[in-house]
């Protein structure tokens, strides 16, 4: 994959474990607001878990909002993968939907918690296909 992968993971580490299992290399948006945000200079896909209340408020983590509020980082976003917990029903992976709508990029897929081996294989293959398709349309 010639493009990037950026993710946010809370202290639970579910998303971090998923990204590590993908084995594709990625930049992490830090948990602490005082920590510097990663520099981004290539197109990327964002993996973002959801932390919503029962009404869907707070679905997108504040650090992800801070990251995307920078126009140069936002301009390089090509797609989003949402994560969450299916126990939360309608708010499952809601952050992906909200980011996609706001940034006008596609939701590529969703997964639950730290994902399954099937999710890892499916998403790794999907990212390779996605970046291959994007590269061929940019020629």
């Amino acid at each position: 994959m010639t493009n990037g992968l950026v993710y946010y993971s809370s202290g639970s580490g579910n998303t971090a474990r998923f990204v590590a299992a993908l084995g594709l290399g990625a930049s992490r948006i830090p948990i602490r607001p005082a920590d510097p945000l990663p520099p981004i200079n290539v197109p990327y896909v964002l993996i973002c878990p959801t932390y919503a209340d029962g009404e869907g408020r707070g679905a997108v983590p504040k650090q992800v909002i801070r990251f995307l509020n920078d126009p140069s980082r936002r301009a390089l976003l090509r797609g989003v993968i949402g994560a969450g917990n299916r126990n939360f029903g309608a708010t499952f992976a809601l952050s992906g939907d909200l980011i996609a709508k706001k940034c006008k990029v596609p939701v590529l897929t969703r997964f639950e918690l730290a994902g399954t081996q099937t999710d890892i294989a499916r998403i790794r293959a999907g990212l390779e296909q996605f970046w291959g398709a994007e590269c061929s349309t940019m020629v």
Side-chain angles (χ1 to χ4, degrees):
M1 184 169 70
T2 59
N3 295 293
L5 194 58
V6 174
Y7 71 100
Y8 176 81
S9 184
S10 71
S12 73
N14 283 329
T15 307
R17 283 191 294 282
F18 179 81
V19 170
L22 282 176
L24 299 175
S27 296
R28 183 175 183 164
I29 298 170
I31 296 172
R32 294 177 9 169
D35 292 342
L37 294 171
I40 303 298
N41 56 14
V42 296
Y44 66 94
V45 168
L46 176 65
I47 300 178
C48 186
T50 298
Y51 301 100
D53 66 10
E55 304 299 314
R57 292 180 298 255
V60 180
K62 286 181 178 23
Q63 279 293 88
V64 174
I65 294 168
R66 180 176 159 231
F67 178 83
L68 291 171
N69 275 342
D70 178 284
S72 63
R73 283 193 289 265
R74 193 172 54 248
L76 292 169
L77 178 63
R78 296 295 184 265
V80 64
I81 296 172
N85 185 327
R86 292 189 192 281
N87 288 342
F88 296 108
T91 63
F92 168 68
L94 179 61
S95 65
D97 297 332
L98 296 173
I99 292 167
K101 183 176 180 183
K102 180 80 172 173
C103 297
K104 298 177 177 54
V105 297
V107 173
L108 302 177
T109 192
R110 296 166 182 83
F111 66 92
E112 185 173 22
L113 300 173
T116 63
Q117 288 301 314
T118 300
D119 291 328
I120 292 162
R122 174 179 59 85
I123 291 173
R124 186 183 299 127
L127 285 169
E128 289 173 9
Q129 183 179 8
F130 177 75
W131 288 124
E134 179 171 271
C135 290
S136 67
T137 61
M138 294 177 73
V139 175

